[in-house]
Amino acid sequence: MTKKETVYVVSDSVGETAELLVKAVATQFFGQEVDIKHFSFVKSSQDINNVITAAKYNHSIIAYTIVLEELKLELDQRAHAENVIAVDLMQPLLDAFTKKFDRQPHRQPGQMRKLDEDYFKRVEAIEFAVKYDDGQEVWGLKNADIVLVGVSRTSKTPLSMYLANKQYKVANIPLIPEVPPPAELFNVPRKKCIGLMISPDKLYEIRKERLKSLGLTNSANYASLERIFDEMTSAENIMKRIGCPVIDVSNKAIEETADIILSIIQKRESLL
């Protein structure tokens, strides 16, 4: 059995970036993956000494992504003194960015992991919005950051998805006169609830176009002004009972309404 070559991956963070690059390069030389030894969260001279000693003893090389300048210089100097090959995987690109964009790097470890965490929070929020869309799974309302309530066609779903992309977990509840709102809604702190209203004329036009797209006639009760006024009155009473702020979405783009919602939420949070 052929012995695997060893490469020491060193980082002042986790080291995923260095590991991926080492694996990609290794495929150009070996029929099998190299044996990668991790030295993560390197912070001190002792950490540097440990990895230099290990690499020298095993006649190996070091691939590193260290952005803290003092540690990087120390690793370079120690590796040179001990005749150990140490390759800085980030510096060439850092130099190129500095030259091209005339800016200096922050030199803060763990920034890639922060981006990964933001990505997964966004995915989690989107999954939440889908799961709790249109009154589904109401038991999860207590876990929402924002709960939107309103009659049909007040942009609850697109608003939920837009806010989810900003990492907010949003649930939305349709308000229908014949269907009492779930009891769970009244247990949600009112600071999380936002009511959405729209002018009857605007809603009439939206619903009429909706019926047309479905191939239905305008005579359907769904698009009648009488029905719309009944829904508006019922929804207004429920919003008053909840005690939530109400936004008129009649002539607002999704982005504009979302900005108002976030302003309300953030203002409330700042008062806590």
Side-chain angles (χ1 to χ4, degrees):
M1 181 177 179
T2 305
K3 178 181 177 297
K4 284 185 178 181
E5 299 293 344
T6 301
V7 175
Y8 289 86
V9 167
V10 181
S11 177
D12 44 18
S13 184
V14 178
E16 308 107 311
T17 304
E19 179 178 355
L20 288 172
L21 189 51
V22 167
K23 286 181 175 179
V25 172
T27 60
Q28 302 298 319
F29 293 89
F30 309 109
Q32 56 186 326
E33 292 184 357
V34 295
D35 185 15
I36 295 176
K37 302 291 187 183
H38 286 273
F39 278 78
S40 301
F41 302 106
V42 169
K43 302 295 182 187
S44 67
S45 296
Q46 185 58 54
D47 293 333
I48 297 295
N49 184 64
N50 291 342
V51 69
I52 293 292
T53 301
K56 182 178 180 181
Y57 177 79
N58 287 290
H59 307 289
S60 188
I61 67 173
I62 296 169
Y64 71 89
T65 53
I66 292 180
V67 296
L68 295 172
E69 199 157 15
E70 289 183 5
L71 279 178
K72 168 190 156 40
L73 291 173
E74 185 172 356
L75 177 55
D76 286 340
Q77 291 167 359
R78 289 280 288 111
H80 179 73
E82 298 294 339
N83 200 29
V84 171
I85 297 175
V87 182
D88 186 340
L89 300 178
M90 294 185 70
Q91 195 60 49
L93 198 51
L94 286 171
D95 290 341
F97 269 56
T98 300
K99 182 177 180 180
K100 180 64 179 177
F101 304 120
D102 194 26
R103 299 182 66 175
Q104 294 298 318
H106 298 303
R107 299 246 173 227
Q108 295 175 350
Q111 294 302 294
M112 189 66 186
R113 191 163 188 82
K114 182 180 177 182
L115 287 175
D116 289 343
E117 289 172 358
D118 288 345
Y119 169 78
F120 286 115
K121 285 180 182 177
R122 189 179 305 112
V123 170
E124 184 181 6
I126 291 171
E127 290 176 344
F128 187 95
V130 171
K131 185 173 184 179
Y132 299 107
D133 180 44
D134 207 29
Q136 301 180 81
E137 306 273 1
V138 293
W139 62 267
L141 290 178
K142 62 181 181 294
N143 298 319
D145 298 317
I146 301 170
V147 177
L148 304 177
V149 296
V151 300
S152 173
R153 316 313 293 180
T154 49
S155 302
K156 296 186 300 299
T157 296
L159 273 169
S160 297
M161 298 307 297
Y162 183 90
L163 291 166
N165 273 283
K166 294 184 177 294
Q167 301 179 22
Y168 287 90
K169 294 180 179 177
V170 186
N172 72 77
I173 302 293
L175 300 181
I176 305 169
E178 296 81 9
V179 181
E184 290 86 350
L185 175 61
F186 300 100
N187 294 325
V188 175
R190 65 179 183 177
K191 66 182 180 182
K192 293 185 176 183
C193 293
I194 300 288
L196 304 176
M197 291 294 277
I198 189 170
S199 72
D201 289 342
K202 182 72 173 179
L203 185 56
Y204 173 74
E205 291 301 323
I206 291 173
R207 289 189 175 182
K208 188 168 66 173
E209 290 302 314
R210 176 61 175 165
L211 289 176
K212 188 184 297 183
S213 71
L214 295 174
L216 302 174
T217 65
N218 292 342
S219 61
N221 189 41
Y222 175 74
S224 73
L225 278 172
E226 183 180 357
R227 169 66 184 182
I228 287 171
F229 278 118
D230 287 344
E231 288 188 37
M232 291 293 193
T233 301
S234 176
E236 187 176 0
N237 289 334
I238 291 170
M239 291 175 193
K240 285 180 179 177
R241 182 180 167 191
I242 295 170
C244 63
V246 178
I247 301 172
D248 185 345
V249 302
S250 301
N251 297 300
K252 292 182 175 66
I254 297 297
E255 296 83 357
E256 186 181 358
T257 305
D259 285 344
I260 296 172
I261 292 171
L262 292 179
S263 177
I264 293 171
I265 297 297
Q266 290 164 3
K267 184 176 181 179
R268 285 177 166 181
E269 289 175 348
S270 69
L271 296 175
L272 295 178

